[in-house]
């Protein structure tokens, strides 16, 4: 009797449900978004992307069960587009609100879409819900095709330069970019890595996008921009701007006319050891075999070691010549010393060692009859010039100016020869001015002569064969500098006073003095 009653009760319930279902229209059975009342919502994957190199996955699908009235269970399926079941056909779910698929075949960048349906106690599917974003497998990071470009040169005191790049190609899809600014390559100490969306240009502005309202760029400081691109899997690649190098606010030496050489050890990729590795390489020996010129001049003037190799002081970004008979020199060239010129502008930044009494060359070009130099002797810094032979416009004896030098102290020296007013042997004289740490030293000196071709060698940190001092000619190699060379810039153009001020402010900000 009990069995008959139970069977009769189930028959009545089933007949009632079927009757209700037959009486409903399609609009009654589901809402406009395809979700039946009192059924299932919020169908999502635990993660929409996998970077697992395995070609099969075991993803977890979850949904929210609103009500289980008259629900006997759920079925799930996978397809190549929403609503299809061509990858995994209908199968019973693990439970009422989640399912872990076993060994789902995954093809890189091909999306897999899930569908779930609720089954009533009669075995009839009463509602189907499709998951629209899909599950994707992405195992390869995006690839930056080109370097980022910071040459817009529009930085102001509280806004960085407009930075642009060609949109990145990813094997699946690019999701977003991050941007940062630091005082070293790849650094983020000025502006941290920040999500800037899926864009191809960006400019940091104080007070926006997380940038401090107090953000302010400083003259003379080297800044490096870095862009990262991310895909859906969270994989990323990073692009800096090694070819252009750092950017500067307010003043960039590369904007000055007729720069013919620039040694900037702050850029570690320009420091090369005896094995051809630069200072960013983990196998870099620490020795300096060559310093590469970054002036952008049509003619490249790299400086090579001539005797004992200098040491690269990485923390100080400096060429350390304090350990012995160390010297760097370029090949002779018309840009530098093999042509007659009516101007020469050299700027050298250095730090003295503990002994400033001994005579030691910081920079010299020329030999025993013509040339220019910056040297230390008897605790003083000298700027010297000479053109002794009579070349038709008079002989110019050695002239110099000097100022006190202190041990273990940083200096920026600019030595300017300007005879652009030359009109001939009977015309006005040219001028010679030396500036140390922002101020002209001594009085303006004068030259009756142009600086004629002087094939005597060039020496950075040494006397390369022969030079001339206030005490007279000095022959042979020697007078090695016993400190650190920080920077050297050579121009065939005489700067005005404002430019010299900019150069010295730039170097003071860059080197911290």
């Amino acid at each position: 009797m009990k069995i008959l009653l139970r069977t009769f009760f189930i028959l009545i319930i089933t007949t009632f449900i079927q009757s209700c279902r037959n009486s409903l229209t399609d609009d009654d059975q589901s809402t406009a978004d395809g979700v039946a009342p009192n059924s299932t919502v919020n169908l999502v994957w635990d993660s929409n992307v996998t970077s697992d190199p395995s070609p099969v996955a075991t993803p977890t699908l979850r949904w929210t069960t609103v009500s289980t009235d008259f629900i006997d269970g759920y079925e799930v399926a996978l397809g190549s587009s929403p609503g299809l079941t061509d990858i995994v056909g209908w199968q019973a779910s693990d439970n009422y609100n989640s399912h872990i698929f076993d060994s789902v075949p995954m093809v890189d960048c091909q999306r897999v879409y899930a569908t779930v349906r609720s089954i009533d106690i009669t075995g009839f599917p009463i509602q189907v819900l499709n998951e629209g974003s899909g599950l994707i497998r992405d195992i390869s990071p995006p690839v930056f095709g080109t370097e980022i470009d910071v040459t817009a040169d529009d930085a102001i005191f509280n806004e960085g330069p407009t930075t642009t790049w060609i949109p990145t190609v990813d094997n699946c899809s690019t999701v977003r970019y991050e941007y940062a600014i630091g005082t070293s390559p790849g650094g983020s100490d000025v502006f941290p890595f920040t999500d800037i969306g899926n864009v191809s240009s960006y400019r940091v502005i104080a007070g926006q996008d997380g940038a401090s309202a107090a953000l302010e760029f400083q003259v003379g400081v080297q800044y490096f921009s870095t862009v990262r691109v991310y895909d859906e899997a969270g994989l990323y690649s990073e692009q800096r701007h090694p070819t252009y190098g750092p950017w500067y606010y307010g003043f960039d030496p590369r904007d000055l006319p007729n720069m013919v050489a620039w040694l900037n050890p702050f850029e570690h990729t320009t420091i090369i050891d005896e094995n051809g590795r630069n200072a960013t390489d983990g196998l870099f020996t620490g020795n300096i075999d060559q310093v590469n010129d970054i002036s952008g001049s049509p003619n490249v003037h790299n400086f090579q070691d001539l005797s004992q190799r200098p040491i690269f002081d990485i923390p100080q970004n400096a060429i350390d010549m304090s350990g012995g008979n160390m010297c760097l020199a370029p090949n002779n060239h018309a840009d530098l010393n093999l042509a007659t010129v009516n101007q020469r502008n050299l700027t050298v930044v250095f730090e003295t060692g503990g002994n400033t009494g001994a005579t030691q060359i910081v920079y010299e070009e020329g030999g025993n009859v013509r040339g220019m130099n910056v040297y230390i002797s008897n605790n003083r810094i000298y700027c010297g010039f000479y053109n002794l032979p009579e070349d038709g416009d008079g002989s110019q004896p050695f002239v110099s100016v000097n100022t006190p030098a202190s041990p273990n102290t940083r200096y920026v020296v600019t030595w300017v020869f300007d005879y652009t007013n030359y009109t001939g042997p009977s015309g006005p004289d040219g001028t010679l001015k030396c500036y140390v740490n922002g101020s002209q030293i001594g009085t303006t000196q004068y030259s009756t002569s142009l600086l004629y071709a002087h094939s005597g060698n060039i020496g950075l940190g040494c006397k390369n064969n022969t030079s001339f001092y206030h005490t007279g000619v000095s022959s042979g190699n020697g007078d090695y500098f016993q400190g650190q060379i920080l920077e050297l810039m050579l121009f065939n153009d005489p700067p005005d006073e404002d430019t010299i001020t900019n150069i010295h402010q730039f170097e003071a900000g860059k080197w911290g003095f």
Side-chain angles (χ1 to χ4, degrees):
M1 178 61 70
K2 289 181 180 180
I3 294 175
L4 289 174
L5 288 175
R6 184 180 296 110
T7 301
F8 179 71
F9 177 74
I10 292 173
L11 179 62
I12 291 175
I13 294 298
T14 302
T15 302
F16 173 75
I17 292 173
Q18 188 65 48
S19 174
C20 291
R21 181 184 298 116
N22 291 340
S23 67
L24 291 176
T25 66
D26 289 342
D27 290 339
D28 294 324
Q29 293 187 44
S30 64
T31 63
D33 63 1
V35 180
N38 299 323
S39 184
T40 305
V41 294
N42 300 330
L43 182 62
V44 296
W45 295 102
D46 266 6
S47 174
N48 282 85
V49 63
T50 175
S51 55
D52 191 330
S54 172
V56 296
T58 55
T60 299
L61 183 69
R62 300 185 188 277
W63 59 90
T64 301
T65 301
V66 177
S67 171
T68 58
D69 292 344
F70 304 112
I71 300 299
D72 187 52
Y74 293 87
E75 291 182 345
V76 292
L78 298 177
S80 56
S81 62
L84 294 185
T85 61
D86 54 318
I87 296 177
V88 175
W90 291 112
Q91 59 183 243
S93 67
D94 294 340
N95 52 56
Y96 271 36
N97 53 27
S98 68
H99 180 76
I100 300 176
F101 288 92
D102 183 35
S103 300
V104 176
M106 300 292 295
V107 178
D108 209 24
C109 300
Q110 178 179 302
R111 293 185 184 274
V112 174
Y113 297 87
T115 300
V116 64
R117 65 184 182 185
S118 50
I119 307 299
D120 66 18
I121 59 176
T122 69
F124 189 88
I126 64 172
Q127 186 251 343
V128 176
L129 183 64
N130 297 321
E131 185 274 325
S133 60
L135 171 70
I136 191 170
R137 175 177 178 259
D138 188 351
I139 61 174
S140 301
V143 177
F144 247 114
T146 60
E147 293 178 4
I148 61 176
D149 184 358
V150 296
T151 58
D153 198 27
D154 55 354
I156 60 176
F157 77 98
N158 63 350
E159 297 182 15
T162 299
T163 306
T164 59
W165 56 91
I166 295 175
T168 303
V169 176
D170 184 54
N171 60 326
C172 296
S173 63
T174 296
V175 174
R176 62 186 177 88
Y177 292 86
E178 288 186 353
Y179 184 84
I181 296 175
T183 53
S184 61
S188 58
D189 51 306
V190 176
F191 179 67
F193 281 101
T194 299
D195 186 346
I196 57 174
N198 196 350
V199 297
S200 57
S201 68
Y202 186 71
R203 187 179 191 186
V204 171
I205 299 176
Q208 297 185 15
D209 298 335
S212 169
L215 174 67
E216 186 171 326
F217 298 107
Q218 304 297 317
V219 173
V221 175
Q222 295 189 122
Y223 295 102
F224 298 82
S225 296
T226 303
V227 177
R228 289 176 177 173
V229 57
Y230 286 80
D231 61 19
E232 283 188 274
L235 304 174
Y236 76 89
S237 64
E238 183 174 281
Q239 185 60 274
R240 306 172 185 177
H241 45 102
T243 297
Y244 183 76
W247 56 267
Y248 302 90
Y249 155 65
F251 174 79
D252 187 333
R254 283 165 292 208
D255 295 333
L256 296 177
N258 295 324
M259 177 187 276
V260 294
W262 185 11
L263 305 188
N264 183 13
F266 213 105
E267 296 190 34
H268 292 191
T269 55
T270 68
I271 306 297
I272 311 300
D273 70 10
E274 65 273 26
N275 299 314
R277 299 187 179 96
N278 69 54
T280 66
D281 192 310
L283 297 178
F284 178 70
T285 64
N287 300 321
I288 300 176
D289 188 66
Q290 177 170 293
V291 182
N292 288 339
D293 170 24
I294 62 166
S295 65
S297 168
N299 301 305
V300 177
H301 303 294
N302 300 328
F303 280 55
Q304 298 86 27
D305 78 283
L306 294 183
S307 52
Q308 182 181 348
R309 293 187 180 95
I311 303 300
F312 187 45
D313 185 340
I314 292 179
Q316 297 298 318
N317 306 298
I319 300 169
D320 190 345
M321 293 184 156
S322 62
N325 301 336
M326 299 175 177
C327 185
L328 295 170
N331 294 325
N332 293 334
H333 192 277
D335 286 348
L336 306 176
N337 62 340
L338 297 185
T340 299
V341 294
N342 62 0
Q343 72 258 317
R344 172 75 83 213
N345 165 18
L346 70 91
T347 293
V348 61
V349 187
F350 59 93
E351 181 172 337
T352 56
N355 177 12
T356 55
T359 298
Q360 48 195 292
I361 287 285
V362 178
Y363 172 86
E364 65 95 3
E365 58 180 71
N368 63 337
V369 295
R370 300 184 185 93
M372 295 180 69
N373 53 30
V374 175
Y375 63 94
I376 296 170
S377 184
N378 294 320
N379 302 308
R380 303 190 74 81
I381 297 171
Y382 284 82
C383 293
F385 177 92
Y386 54 106
N387 194 95
L388 305 181
E390 167 57 74
D391 293 302
D393 54 6
S395 170
Q396 177 56 55
F398 181 87
V399 293
S400 68
V401 290
N402 62 83
T403 192
S406 298
N408 305 309
T409 302
R410 288 185 172 182
Y411 295 97
V412 52
V413 175
T414 298
W415 186 209
V416 181
F417 166 57
D418 183 2
Y419 208 164
T420 53
N421 61 332
Y422 181 80
T423 59
S426 60
D429 292 339
T431 60
L432 291 150
K433 297 180 181 181
C434 183
Y435 301 81
V436 176
N437 289 4
S439 299
Q440 183 178 349
I441 64 170
T443 58
T444 300
Q445 301 296 301
Y446 296 91
S447 174
T448 64
S449 171
L450 298 171
L451 180 58
Y452 285 83
H454 42 290
S455 58
N457 297 326
I458 295 170
L460 179 62
C462 75
K463 179 181 55 170
N464 188 1
N465 191 12
T466 306
S467 193
F468 208 104
Y469 302 142
H470 62 289
T471 55
V473 67
S474 177
S475 300
N477 297 332
D479 297 339
Y480 297 98
F481 181 55
Q482 298 301 303
Q484 293 188 327
I485 300 294
L486 305 180
E487 194 162 356
L488 174 69
M489 293 186 288
L490 303 177
F491 301 86
N492 282 328
D493 196 279
D496 57 24
E497 297 290 333
D498 288 342
T499 300
I500 291 172
T501 298
N502 287 336
I503 290 173
H504 283 239
Q505 287 180 345
F506 171 85
E507 299 295 0
K510 179 177 178 179
W511 296 105
F513 63 92

